[in-house]
Amino acid sequence: MTENIKVLNPATGELVEEVTIDTEEDIQAKLEKVADGFNKWKKVNAHERARLLRKWSEKVLEQKEEIARVMTLESGKPLSESLGEVEYATSYIDWFAEEAKRIYGRTVPANTESKRILVTRQPIGVVAAITPWNFPAAMMTRKAAPALAAGCTFIVKPASETPLTTIKLIELAYEAGIPEDVVQYVVNGSGRTVGEIFTDSPLVRKITFTGSTPVGKQLIKQSADSVKHVSMELGGHAPLIITKDADLDIAVPQTIVSKFRNAGQTCICANRVLVAKEIVDEFADRLVREVAKLKVGNGLEEDTQIGPVINGDGFRKVVSQIDDAVEKGAEVLTGNKFDKDDDKGYYFIYPTVLKQVTGEMDIMQEETFGPVLPITVFDTVEEAIDIANNTPFGLAAYFFTNDYRTGTYLHEHLTFGVIGWNDGAPSAAHAPFGGLKESGIGKEGGLEGIEPYLETKYLSIGGLE
Ligand code: SIN
């Protein structure tokens, strides 16, 4: 008997579509398919792989409105953000289509006349990906595109909340001419987790995951027995620092971009806003005036800027952080208002700004994943750096300053992999995205983004003249 996953609209709780769950046998069959496919795909020349990737990107862009609508229906994000995400997703395909042609080897001078040494790069093999619900298109393509560009084959398990966007994108890959034994998806909801099936499989050579740090750690442990390669894009707890000389005409709107994108549900969202005591009141006043104007609603309505949070668990975590902060003395400047229906299953959180936030509040320790912006004050830049770095996470950090010495000092002392200086939206296909510390291993995007899908071999030829 087939089982289905119900994909629900987070803005209404209504059913969007049912999707058939893959059994473990289905998943094993798909793994064998991409393992067979690897023997052919690795021989396809790089220019042809690049052509097929470009074709895939074109097909996706031709249908961007429809894909964005599906994404909004299943993830709740505003349509304008879904459209932006489709373009962001194709930017990874375009970038890696070009990188496919630049997988260079090298020669190494030998220490004897009778030898030559050649260094070559080869695709790793079958790549298994697990992707999150907050970016159902872009987090998939930024793994699939470098994998395919490198000559690997690819199997992905999208989040069970948002499989439809991934399914649509993979159908378009087939339409573009990418063979079915090169890319596959699986949908799983019961029995052994897909993570266990992927990590146990001898056919899989690499696991790439975007999601929470605890799940990432589990996947790393499970990958140890067969020494699989791993790339992990894990949780964050981004500090955003506003120094006393910051240009508030830049800092205020960029803080809003950083914090409220996708209703605060991104790994790189500003999670702790640290403001110099000299300007905290002016910053907070200006910020609150703008935040209070953000339109909350169903993402399909054209003027919506803040959609629902993904589900009841997400909602309860955010509310408990607000309650904890208020109990411990934080002041609510705006928000702390909700529109929810537990029976129907939708949860909206009005954008919330908290002031007088201190280090012992949960919101300063844990990732929030919701539209809540806590403000805390600092005296010196050194103190701001200490607060910012006082976390096991090291994904993204932001700072706003017009002083190049302060900016250089902050950049050099913040232990984060992605840093925005007067920039609340640093992500780009052409730059290496990835966290330090417990925020992950490996980079996605940029020159670095294809490396995790390649192995290096060297050949030493002897007996020459
Ligand atoms: C994420 O939240 O995981 C990624 C966000 C981005 O690519 O900007």
Side-chain angles (χ1 to χ4, degrees):
M1 198 183 75
T2 59
E3 274 188 83
N4 291 343
I5 276 185
K6 287 186 175 26
V7 180
L8 303 175
N9 181 343
T12 60
E14 287 162 6
L15 179 69
V16 180
E17 204 174 311
E18 295 204 16
V19 183
T20 307
I21 290 173
D22 284 290
T23 61
E24 181 160 351
E25 290 69 42
D26 296 333
I27 299 172
Q28 296 293 1
K30 289 181 179 185
L31 282 168
E32 275 163 33
K33 190 165 186 157
V34 286
D36 286 345
F38 177 61
N39 294 323
K40 289 175 261 162
W41 184 247
K42 69 181 179 190
K43 295 186 195 139
V44 173
N45 76 69
H47 291 257
E48 176 61 5
R49 295 201 300 268
R51 188 188 69 76
L52 289 167
L53 284 168
R54 285 197 304 271
K55 191 88 201 140
W56 183 20
S57 166
E58 279 166 25
K59 294 251 171 221
V60 173
L61 287 177
E62 277 164 18
Q63 297 207 19
K64 76 173 175 189
E65 270 83 19
E66 175 51 16
I67 299 167
R69 201 185 65 82
V70 169
M71 197 189 302
T72 291
L73 279 173
E74 65 178 352
S75 74
K77 70 171 66 179
L79 201 51
S80 57
E81 288 194 33
S82 296
L83 278 166
E85 189 184 334
V86 177
E87 285 175 7
Y88 182 43
T90 55
S91 73
Y92 283 100
I93 307 179
D94 297 341
W95 173 260
F96 287 110
E98 296 306 311
E99 288 303 288
K101 294 177 276 179
R102 301 189 227 298
I103 301 172
Y104 302 127
R106 68 186 202 278
T107 58
V108 177
N111 59 354
T112 155
E113 292 72 15
S114 66
K115 285 194 180 188
R116 307 287 183 275
I117 297 176
L118 303 183
V119 179
T120 56
R121 316 301 310 285
Q122 292 192 353
I124 275 182
V126 172
V127 173
I130 301 178
T131 54
W133 49 263
N134 62 342
F135 288 91
M139 297 305 104
M140 194 277 277
T141 59
R142 82 180 184 192
K143 299 177 191 316
L148 269 50
C152 299
T153 52
F154 185 80
I155 184 164
V156 57
K157 183 226 168 255
S160 47
E161 293 86 348
T162 56
L164 303 175
T165 306
T166 301
I167 294 173
K168 182 80 191 144
L169 291 180
I170 289 184
E171 281 165 3
L172 290 170
Y174 299 152
E175 268 184 40
I178 296 174
E180 289 193 19
D181 57 5
V182 170
V183 191
Q184 284 284 323
Y185 66 84
V186 301
V187 177
N188 175 286
S190 60
R192 281 210 307 154
T193 66
V194 179
E196 281 167 324
I197 299 170
F198 283 171
T199 50
D200 282 356
S201 172
L203 301 175
V204 172
R205 284 306 308 138
K206 178 180 175 75
I207 302 285
T208 172
F209 170 67
T210 296
S212 74
T213 294
V215 175
K217 286 180 181 175
Q218 191 58 35
L219 289 169
I220 295 170
K221 284 184 196 145
Q222 288 169 203
S223 298
D225 277 346
S226 50
V227 194
K228 293 190 200 322
H229 296 253
V230 291
S231 286
M232 296 283 147
E233 292 296 345
L234 308 178
H237 198 233
L240 185 150
I241 299 170
I242 317 258
T243 65
K244 61 183 179 206
D245 57 54
D247 180 343
L248 294 188
D249 288 341
I250 298 174
V252 169
Q254 289 297 307
T255 301
I256 291 173
V257 166
S258 167
K259 175 70 249 184
F260 295 105
R261 176 179 173 220
N262 198 15
Q265 301 171 111
T266 87
C267 305
I268 61 166
C269 273
N271 215 110
R272 300 168 285 155
V273 177
L274 283 50
V275 188
K277 68 172 188 312
E278 294 86 346
I279 56 156
V280 67
D281 290 335
E282 187 189 351
F283 171 77
D285 287 349
R286 288 178 63 170
L287 182 83
V288 165
R289 272 204 299 278
E290 296 309 314
V291 170
K293 290 184 207 157
L294 294 172
K295 167 93 181 13
V296 178
N298 186 323
L300 288 179
E301 287 156 18
E302 213 170 278
D303 52 351
T304 293
Q305 292 164 295
I306 306 281
V309 293
I310 190 74
N311 55 30
D313 285 346
F315 173 79
R316 284 181 283 277
K317 178 174 178 209
V318 176
V319 173
S320 91
Q321 287 191 1
I322 300 175
D323 289 347
D324 169 79
V326 171
E327 260 166 45
K328 291 176 181 158
E331 183 190 346
V332 178
L333 298 185
T334 186
N336 197 16
K337 258 178 49 188
F338 315 102
D339 174 10
K340 71 169 182 103
D341 189 322
D342 286 315
D343 295 331
K344 291 196 171 132
Y346 64 76
Y347 301 87
F348 291 88
I349 300 175
Y350 281 73
T352 299
V353 178
L354 304 174
K355 213 175 150 195
Q356 280 149 12
V357 171
T358 52
E360 72 278 3
M361 299 177 185
D362 292 347
I363 199 159
M364 292 295 280
Q365 315 288 339
E366 301 165 0
E367 194 172 26
T368 302
F369 246 63
V372 184
L373 185 155
I375 298 177
T376 192
V377 278
F378 64 85
D379 275 321
T380 63
V381 168
E382 288 72 18
E383 186 195 352
I385 290 170
D386 284 348
I387 300 171
N389 287 341
N390 184 19
T391 166
F393 297 110
L395 185 52
Y398 307 84
F399 57 80
F400 292 83
T401 176
N402 273 354
D403 183 310
Y404 77 91
R405 290 186 196 83
T406 307
T408 306
Y409 186 79
L410 281 160
H411 170 233
E412 288 175 359
H413 288 81
L414 287 169
T415 46
F416 294 83
V418 178
I419 298 188
W421 178 350
N422 292 343
D423 183 4
S427 306
H430 41 275
F433 183 104
L436 311 184
K437 294 160 55 181
E438 293 189 22
S439 287
I441 301 174
K443 302 292 172 194
E444 296 189 315
L447 287 181
E448 293 81 354
I450 201 160
E451 287 298 319
Y453 299 91
L454 294 166
E455 315 223 61
T456 299
K457 281 166 80 171
Y458 90 83
L459 172 71
S460 179
I461 311 170
L464 301 170
E465 292 302 309

